[in-house]
Each structure stands twice: as C-alpha cells, then as structure tokens.
Amino acid sequence: MSTMNLSASAASTAVIVRDPWALVPSLGNLDAYISAVNRLPLLTHEEEVSFARRLRDSQDVEAAGRLVLSHLRLVVSVARQYLGYGLPHGDLIQEGNVGLMKAVKRFDPEQGVRLVSYAMHWIKAEIHEYVLKNWRVVKLATTKAQRKLFFNLRSMKRQLKGEAADGDTHRSSLTEAEIDTVARELNVKREEVIEMEARFAGGDVALEPGSDEDDESYTPIAYLADERQEPTRALEAAHRDELAGPGLLRALDALDARSRRIVEERWLKVNDDGSGGLTLHDLAAEYGVSAERIRQIEVAAMKKMRKALVEHA
C-alpha cells in the first residue's frame, strides 16, 4: 500500500474514532448515504460486547453511537426488501434506524447473541408499522396472522405463479387451490386471503379532480359531507352555545348573592395576567367562615346550577 493510501486510511480511522457520525451524510442524498454506511467498519464480537457493556453500565452515548453506526448497513439491506410497497426508500431506512436504536438500547451483551440477530426484529417491526400506516390499503391488518399475510402474500403469489422477482404479481388472480395453499401456510382463513388479494389488486382513486378545467368529472370528494353542516351537529352546536350563554346566566340568577359570587370567583373570573379569581381561603377570610364552608357552598351552588341548566334544556 502506498504512503498516500496509508495516510488516507489513517485519517479516516481518526475521524471514526473522534467523531464516527462525521462520515454519515444525511438521508437527503440517498446514494451518498448508502455508500457511506457500507464503508463504515464492522465491530468484532469483543468490541460489540465492550461497547454494549459501556452503554448498559454507564449510559455511554459514544458507545451507543458506535453500535448503531456499525449496523446501519443492515438497516439499508432490510429496508430494500420493502420497496415494493411504493414508499420512499429513505423513509423506510429512517424508520428502520429508529428500530435499530431501540434494539441497541435494549440489547443485553450477556445473552450470548450478536446484536445483528437481536436488532433484526426491531428494525422489521418499525418498518412494518410504517408500511401499515402509510400504504394505500385503508383497512389495515390487525392480528398477527393478518400482518403475516399482508407482508407475505406478494412473495407467495410470485412463487406460485412462477413470475420474475420484479414482475407484476397481480396480472392474474389466485386459483382456488392456490388460495387454499396460502391460507394453510400462513394460518389464516381463505376469506382473508381473498380480501387481501382484492385490496392489493385494486387501483388508487384520486380524491380530487385531476385538473380545474374538468368540471364535469365527479371524484369521491364531491360526495363527502361537511360535518359542520350536518343537521345533528348543527343542532348540538346551537344548543351548546345556548347553554354557555343565556343558559348559564339563568343558572347564575337562580343563586343567592353569596353563592353566585363564590362560583364566579372560583370558575368564571379570569384576570388580565391569566390567573383566576379568589381562592377558597381568600373567600373564607372575606366572609368570616372556614375554607371548608366555602367549599360546601360552592358544591351546593353547582348542583343548583346543573338543575337549572337541565330545566332550561
């Protein structure tokens, strides 16, 4: 190796030791990011255990960073498997990185398991959650079996149809026998296989017209009602406004002067500085009674007001 190459290698190693994050660009430049994380050095088993113990025993942030950095290429590899759902690769990697950090935080080096094996579950779990929340299927898979069906139906159909890995897996529907095979292997009902297959095969529908000039087209947004104008909600809003205004004044009028002032000071008064009115002890000192007596008067007044509001309604 030439002297120049040795110097470059030494400089790179120095940067990793001093600031390992300096070699990782942002996900905004995806190609540069993937290239950079693939060049980051892997940790030996002894180094991994040492860093994990430092993190566990002394919450060493630098040790946590070294563990995360050495496994970023794993996240890139796993995220690539989910590109078929049409979601941005960078977003998939970002979610996988969240799972990796969760795994690093919970990793126990004394279990005799390498971090790469332990982190795989957490990385996939975060990516699965992101896909389920953001993909175009509206009715999400909820049970464990349904989630397994969601993430395995494409690959199983490709195997059954004998199509290429990059082919269209929905050019033909599953036969009855193939539906039974998928349901049996994934331990779900055949009706669930049929329903999921139909969701995958369905196309996206635009919520709004494609252009302002297309006045004669009707898209789903034209049939969506404005909840604010829905009759029941309009009546509820009007009734609520009535109770909060004239209704409240009538309820206050039903009280004697002392009870009304206590309620107004405790619940309705707001000063310019945002503070409320008088406290129980302030009112107790003013009326020459105990704070408990003021509280009792307040409770009785509130009951009387509720009764007046019910009668008003």
Side-chain angles (χ1 to χ4, degrees):
M1 183 180 292
S2 66
T3 305
M4 181 179 295
N5 289 337
L6 283 172
S7 300
S9 176
S12 176
T13 303
V15 171
I16 292 175
V17 172
R18 184 170 62 254
D19 183 11
W21 295 99
L23 294 180
V24 183
S26 69
L27 274 168
N29 188 340
L30 190 58
D31 291 337
Y33 175 87
I34 294 175
S35 177
V37 299
N38 285 333
R39 291 197 305 269
L40 291 172
L42 297 174
L43 298 177
T44 65
H45 187 206
E46 292 73 18
E47 289 175 329
E48 182 179 291
V49 171
S50 174
F51 284 131
R53 285 173 177 166
R54 282 168 52 185
L55 174 60
R56 180 196 62 191
D57 298 338
S58 57
Q59 302 299 310
D60 191 328
V61 177
E62 180 184 352
R66 293 296 299 275
L67 291 170
V68 170
L69 284 167
S70 65
H71 289 80
L72 289 179
R73 67 178 68 190
L74 171 64
V75 176
V76 172
S77 176
V78 173
R80 190 176 293 116
Q81 302 171 19
Y82 296 89
L83 291 177
Y85 295 100
L87 298 171
H89 194 188
D91 290 351
L92 293 170
I93 293 174
Q94 186 66 42
E95 295 300 320
N97 286 344
V98 173
L100 172 60
M101 289 186 284
K102 289 183 178 180
V104 167
K105 182 179 180 181
R106 294 168 172 79
F107 180 60
D108 184 357
E110 312 304 335
Q111 294 297 320
V113 179
R114 292 299 300 266
L115 177 57
V116 63
S117 300
Y118 181 76
M120 187 70 72
H121 162 77
W122 290 95
I123 295 170
K124 287 186 175 181
E126 288 297 321
I127 294 178
H128 284 187
E129 191 69 23
Y130 172 73
V131 171
L132 287 173
K133 286 182 177 179
N134 293 276
W135 206 59
R136 63 184 173 87
V137 175
V138 176
K139 183 180 179 183
L140 301 181
T142 53
T143 67
K144 183 178 180 180
Q146 288 174 335
R147 287 173 181 252
K148 188 175 182 181
L149 171 62
F150 181 91
F151 286 105
N152 287 277
L153 181 57
R154 284 170 177 257
S155 59
M156 288 196 66
K157 183 175 180 181
R158 192 158 48 231
Q159 295 170 6
L160 292 170
K161 296 295 182 183
E163 297 172 344
D166 59 349
D168 184 359
T169 60
H170 297 294
R171 286 181 297 185
S172 57
S173 300
L174 292 171
T175 64
E176 294 297 318
E178 289 169 342
I179 291 173
D180 291 334
T181 299
V182 173
R184 182 174 61 256
E185 293 191 12
L186 297 181
N187 193 29
V188 296
K189 298 177 181 179
R190 68 188 314 275
E191 292 80 7
E192 293 178 336
V193 177
I194 296 172
E195 182 183 2
M196 189 65 72
E197 166 70 1
R199 292 187 218 160
F200 277 127
D204 292 327
V205 178
L207 184 63
E208 297 180 335
S211 65
D212 295 335
E213 299 176 357
D214 193 5
D215 296 332
E216 296 183 358
S217 64
Y218 288 91
T219 50
I221 198 169
Y223 303 98
L224 297 179
D226 185 351
E227 290 187 354
R228 294 172 299 179
Q229 304 302 322
E230 199 272 326
T232 303
R233 291 183 176 272
L235 288 173
E236 290 177 350
H239 183 61
R240 183 171 57 252
D241 293 341
E242 172 67 19
L243 290 178
L248 180 60
L249 291 177
R250 291 190 182 92
L252 288 171
D253 288 340
L255 304 177
D256 60 80
R258 183 175 65 173
S259 297
R260 176 166 181 162
R261 182 159 186 275
I262 290 174
V263 170
E264 289 176 340
E265 288 288 343
R266 297 277 293 144
W267 294 96
L268 302 178
K269 187 173 182 179
V270 179
N271 297 320
D272 294 337
D273 59 358
S275 62
L278 300 177
T279 65
L280 290 175
H281 292 283
D282 293 335
L283 291 166
E286 179 179 332
Y287 288 106
V289 296
S290 65
E292 174 61 21
R293 178 55 186 157
I294 296 295
R295 190 193 66 79
Q296 293 173 355
I297 296 173
E298 178 186 347
V299 170
M302 297 296 284
K303 288 182 179 179
K304 194 170 184 179
M305 288 182 65
R306 278 194 292 270
K307 182 179 179 181
L309 286 171
V310 170
E311 293 176 350
H312 176 73

